[in-house]
Amino acid sequence: SARPGMAAAHGPVAPSSPEQVSHLPEERPFSLPPFSGTAPSVSLAESVLKVWHDAYNSGLLPQLTAQHSPAMAQNGAVPSEATKRDQNLKRGNWGNQIEFVLTSVGYAVGLGNVWRFPYLCYRNGGGAFMFPYFIMLIFCGIPLFFMELSFGQFASQGCLGVWRVCPLFKGVGYGMMVVSTYIGIYYNVVICIAFYYFFSSMTHVLPWAYCNNPWNTPDCASVLDAANLTNGSRPAARPSNLSHLLNHTLQRTSPSEEYWRLYVLKLSDDIGNFGEVRLPLLGCLGVSWVVVFLCLIRGVKSSGKVVYFTATFPYVVLTILFVRGVTLEGAFTGIMYYLTPQWDKILEAKVWGDAASQIFYSLGCAWGGLITMASYNKFHNNCYRDSVIISITNCATSVYAGFVIFSILGFMANHLGVDVSRVADHGPGLAFVAYPEALTLLPISPLWSLLFFFMLILLGLGTQFCLLETLVTAIVDEVGNEWILQKKTYVTLGVAVAGFLLGIPLTSQAGIYWLLLMDNYAASFSLVIISCIMCVSIMYIYGHRSYFQDIQMMLGFPPPLFFQICWRFVSPAIIFFILVFTVIQYRPITYNHYQYPGWAVAIGFLMALSSVLCIPLYALFQLCRTDGDTLLQRLKNATKPSRDWGPALLEHRTGRYAPTIAPSPEDGFEVQPLHPDKAQIPMVGSNGSGRLQDSRI
């Protein structure tokens, strides 16, 4: 039966002249008469009726009727789903909230937590650094994290689609895409090097343990040689190397450093001298991109399952390495170097700047990944809770990793008889030189090496998944038609192939120079500018009251007063402080003793500016295409939210997002839910109140 006020189903019905349909008795079979081919024109309502007519005759309609419960009519379900499940059938959702939390943890917890934070903490006052670090986490990190998660979740759009909130600033989304592209290119090269070391560790003796390899130089001195000579277990050979070790000379080069520089990289003497492509690294780069693609082949549906392992197993490895490290001689000395507070350094601006920068970059703010991952949440998910959990987990992981790193470094410093500061390092130097060398001192060193590099691979993959998904989601959301939604796998493949091809130069003999150049410039001050503009545009152009109402609609409660104050005043001020600090503390990039030439630094600045320039360039483009007689009118129109801004699903468009002008009968129709007691025929509302429904039928 159809609702009272609907036209009868016995033939075409004109929307302008509705007729009432009588209820069919329950014991009578439901049937639709054949459609007449003599109608002068076929309206949209007639087309819909014909679809349902064919569905009934094919036996599909009774099956759907049997599956639906009385609760359907109450929650507005459409015939394609048994209940209204708060799911976006078009884009997809996470399988459950654990998948989202684990993915976000894997995204935020990356290589920087292991190779950057412990060194920063040691260099900036040890335990005293924790104070400004957690202050910045509370006043900048968590608020920005919550803002990006709520932004993406409310609109269910990627880093481009969310800027329907203020079309003039859509260039911020393009800037995020550029940043994610740069990071995704070089980040997978780091993962490929970790793959190479992982495969090289599958041996009885690690290739960087001794100095008897063809690539070693006369200056090479192994810590194993030094330990054996000191214990008198080997003849007193190479005394010069031993004296270099014990007298803290700067002439010693470790076998791990020579393995890294002379064998793995075959490092050239200049950034412009590319030399040959290192085929082993190229092969590992292909492996890493294949792994990333396979894990994302079905989007969040497949990556959400992979993160159960990739986001949790690194903690297992960290714990194993921690337990092994703290039981070693000299580990306590290394940990004390890591934690001993130097309170006088709290008064230095550099310490606070480093703390703010580390929080900002570690959480992945302004990369676009947080917005993208949150866009696959269900609309009413408590992203406030998630942002607190993920942010604290990320920072706790950084602190925990410091114990793992410095316990082993303290052990190696004790073996060499040198200060811990002599063996402490950060970045690739820590991951591929200092720490691997320390592992050679442990029994069954290949096992510990395998675990360490496997952990690095998983940490890198967790971040790489989100970087690639950010780009793919932005492209698919921007195009937005059914064809590209069905071909999303091919979009993912295309982005992965492009990333592999662009990463090939980084596997050459000058690749490490370019990798560090991209790391230092592509994602530095540009991220700060992007984040600052995002805060200002949401809080002051869209309006803080409107945004707080959006969050209340989504979560059921407004953001806490603390977050309201941080978003409006504190966080933008801290972001501006980070920008000023970055400019003041700027030093030309170097790698070991190599000074980058001016033209290379200029390329670095161009990479940084390329993401920032997206903002003013797109703003000019938007102003040119916006209606208005004067510039001021165009500016006002370009900063107003577009008509399709708001929750993605019609069921969530309530309050000020509820449709105010109903579509005409020619534009849409209302699909009524089937009831087990009475079959209903979908018709166009006689009062013009028909609505568009997102349905799979």
Side-chain angles (χ1 to χ4, degrees):
S1 62
R3 293 190 306 178
M6 292 290 189
H10 301 285
V13 181
S16 59
S17 59
E19 300 175 6
Q20 188 166 351
V21 178
S22 61
H23 290 269
L24 297 173
E26 294 181 7
E27 64 273 5
R28 288 177 59 189
F30 179 78
S31 62
L32 289 173
F35 277 81
S36 173
T38 61
S41 63
V42 181
S43 68
L44 181 58
E46 293 171 347
S47 302
V48 175
L49 280 173
K50 188 175 190 313
V51 172
W52 280 75
H53 173 270
D54 296 337
Y56 178 82
N57 291 338
S58 65
L60 175 63
L61 198 57
Q63 179 182 3
L64 289 173
T65 305
Q67 291 176 351
H68 285 68
S69 65
M72 291 172 45
Q74 301 174 6
N75 62 16
V78 294
S80 59
E81 52 183 348
T83 57
K84 184 168 158 184
R85 295 172 294 178
D86 192 21
Q87 289 188 354
N88 191 327
L89 302 176
K90 186 177 180 181
R91 295 180 81 249
N93 293 101
W94 297 106
N96 55 62
Q97 276 317 107
I98 296 178
E99 293 182 7
F100 167 68
V101 172
L102 290 178
T103 301
S104 299
V105 167
Y107 175 61
V109 177
L111 299 174
N113 297 70
V114 174
W115 75 19
R116 179 172 167 80
F117 173 81
Y119 184 80
L120 272 183
C121 186
Y122 154 70
R123 295 283 292 178
N124 287 289
F129 181 72
M130 302 291 184
F131 179 74
Y133 183 72
F134 283 102
I135 289 292
M136 292 300 175
L137 170 66
I138 294 171
F139 287 96
C140 184
I142 297 178
L144 289 177
F145 205 91
F146 181 29
M147 174 181 281
E148 293 202 27
L149 289 190
S150 59
F151 197 24
Q153 180 174 309
F154 181 78
S156 296
Q157 290 288 310
C159 60
L160 289 181
V162 290
W163 289 103
R164 296 169 181 171
V165 70
C166 187
L168 186 69
F169 289 96
K170 190 175 181 179
V172 173
Y174 284 106
M176 290 177 174
M177 285 187 66
V178 172
V179 169
S180 293
T181 301
Y182 286 140
I183 298 175
I185 291 171
Y186 78 78
Y187 214 83
N188 229 19
V189 175
V190 177
I191 298 173
C192 93
I193 297 175
F195 265 114
Y196 183 84
Y197 270 79
F198 177 77
F199 295 141
S200 299
S201 300
M202 297 178 180
T203 179
H204 294 294
V205 179
L206 294 175
W208 57 85
Y210 294 102
C211 294
N212 56 355
N213 302 291
W215 60 81
N216 290 128
T217 66
D219 291 329
C220 177
S222 170
V223 291
L224 292 175
D225 292 336
N228 290 333
L229 285 169
T230 305
N231 296 332
S233 59
R234 290 182 60 185
R238 309 184 71 171
S240 60
N241 287 336
L242 177 60
S243 65
H244 284 320
L245 290 171
L246 300 180
N247 293 328
H248 307 185
T249 64
L250 298 176
Q251 299 301 319
R252 172 196 178 251
T253 57
S254 65
S256 62
E257 182 181 350
E258 294 195 348
Y259 179 77
W260 161 254
R261 183 165 47 88
L262 302 178
Y263 184 74
V264 177
L265 302 179
K266 290 190 175 178
L267 190 64
S268 65
D269 56 353
D270 186 71
I271 188 174
N273 183 12
F274 283 90
E276 63 180 10
V277 172
R278 298 287 295 119
L279 293 181
L281 293 182
L282 182 64
C284 291
L285 180 63
V287 169
S288 59
W289 273 112
V290 168
V291 170
V292 171
F293 168 69
L294 291 178
C295 292
L296 286 173
I297 193 168
R298 294 181 59 233
V300 295
K301 294 297 183 184
S302 55
S303 66
K305 305 300 182 290
V306 175
V307 293
Y308 280 106
F309 178 73
T310 61
T312 57
F313 194 73
Y315 291 96
V316 176
V317 178
L318 276 175
T319 302
I320 294 172
L321 293 175
F322 171 74
V323 172
R324 185 66 185 100
V326 296
T327 59
L328 297 172
E329 185 181 359
F332 181 75
T333 304
I335 293 175
M336 290 308 296
Y337 262 83
Y338 170 53
L339 290 180
T340 301
Q342 302 174 37
W343 296 109
D344 56 311
K345 290 198 171 185
I346 285 188
L347 301 177
E348 298 180 12
K350 183 179 185 303
V351 175
W352 289 85
D354 281 342
S357 300
Q358 177 62 16
I359 284 290
F360 185 83
Y361 296 127
S362 176
L363 289 175
C365 298
W367 290 17
L370 298 179
I371 295 175
T372 302
M373 296 302 105
S375 72
Y376 292 103
N377 277 336
K378 295 181 180 179
F379 184 74
H380 295 296
N381 170 62
N382 190 346
C383 57
Y384 166 65
R385 171 202 62 201
D386 295 342
S387 62
V388 175
I389 293 174
I390 297 166
S391 301
I392 293 177
T393 301
N394 171 71
C395 296
T397 304
S398 298
V399 176
Y400 188 37
F403 286 93
V404 176
I405 297 299
F406 272 88
S407 61
I408 298 290
L409 294 182
F411 167 64
M412 184 169 73
N414 180 71
H415 254 277
L416 294 176
V418 299
D419 195 78
V420 177
S421 61
R422 292 292 309 281
V423 296
D425 203 347
H426 66 100
L430 171 67
F432 302 118
V433 178
Y435 205 84
E437 181 181 22
L439 293 177
T440 61
L441 295 169
L442 300 177
I444 326 177
S445 55
L447 172 63
W448 306 111
S449 182
L450 283 170
L451 284 174
F452 175 71
F453 288 110
F454 190 52
M455 178 189 71
L456 289 186
I457 291 170
L458 295 182
L459 288 175
L461 288 176
T463 302
Q464 189 68 20
F465 290 159
C466 296
L467 290 170
L468 184 60
E469 185 62 39
T470 297
L471 299 175
V472 173
T473 298
I475 294 170
V476 172
D477 285 349
E478 185 67 8
V479 177
N481 56 36
E482 291 294 330
W483 180 85
I484 199 166
L485 285 170
Q486 296 172 359
K487 304 296 183 182
K488 185 177 178 181
T489 300
Y490 296 101
V491 178
T492 306
L493 177 62
V495 174
V497 171
F500 170 74
L501 295 176
L502 292 172
I504 291 177
L506 302 185
T507 61
S508 66
Q509 291 179 258
I512 192 66
Y513 296 125
W514 290 99
L515 189 149
L516 293 175
L517 186 72
M518 296 178 72
D519 184 44
N520 276 269
Y521 290 96
S524 57
F525 69 85
S526 55
L527 286 176
V528 183
I529 296 174
I530 289 173
S531 184
C532 188
I533 294 177
M534 183 180 70
C535 275
V536 172
S537 60
I538 295 176
M539 289 294 106
Y540 295 100
I541 298 178
Y542 176 58
H544 63 276
R545 289 186 180 87
S546 298
Y547 194 67
F548 297 161
Q549 290 172 6
D550 291 343
I551 291 181
Q552 184 166 9
M553 179 196 304
M554 180 173 62
L555 302 182
F557 58 88
L561 180 61
F562 172 77
F563 285 88
Q564 296 182 22
I565 295 174
C566 284
W567 285 345
R568 294 183 62 192
F569 308 110
V570 181
S571 296
I574 293 177
I575 294 172
F576 183 74
F577 165 72
I578 297 173
L579 178 60
V580 173
F581 170 78
T582 304
V583 173
I584 293 175
Q585 293 292 323
Y586 171 75
R587 298 288 183 276
I589 182 176
T590 60
Y591 176 58
N592 293 337
H593 301 293
Y594 175 75
Q595 188 78 33
Y596 278 68
W599 63 267
V601 175
I603 291 178
F605 275 110
L606 287 176
M607 283 192 291
L609 289 173
S610 62
S611 55
V612 177
L613 286 176
C614 292
I615 303 173
L617 291 178
Y618 188 86
L620 291 174
F621 170 72
Q622 184 67 24
L623 283 175
C624 293
R625 61 187 294 212
T626 302
D627 295 332
D629 297 329
T630 64
L631 178 61
L632 184 60
Q633 288 179 349
R634 289 172 178 262
L635 193 61
K636 287 181 178 179
N637 292 334
T639 53
K640 289 180 181 178
S642 60
R643 287 187 298 175
D644 52 355
W645 160 250
L649 298 183
L650 187 63
E651 65 197 52
H652 299 138
R653 284 187 167 268
T654 59
R656 59 198 177 97
Y657 293 103
T660 55
I661 302 176
S664 64
E666 290 77 11
D667 296 333
F669 56 91
E670 180 175 332
V671 179
Q672 291 296 319
L674 295 175
H675 195 279
D677 299 329
K678 52 182 181 179
Q680 295 181 338
I681 306 172
M683 302 293 293
V684 179
S686 60
N687 58 356
S689 60
R691 295 182 302 170
L692 285 170
Q693 289 282 1
D694 181 13
S695 172
R696 287 179 294 185
I697 291 297

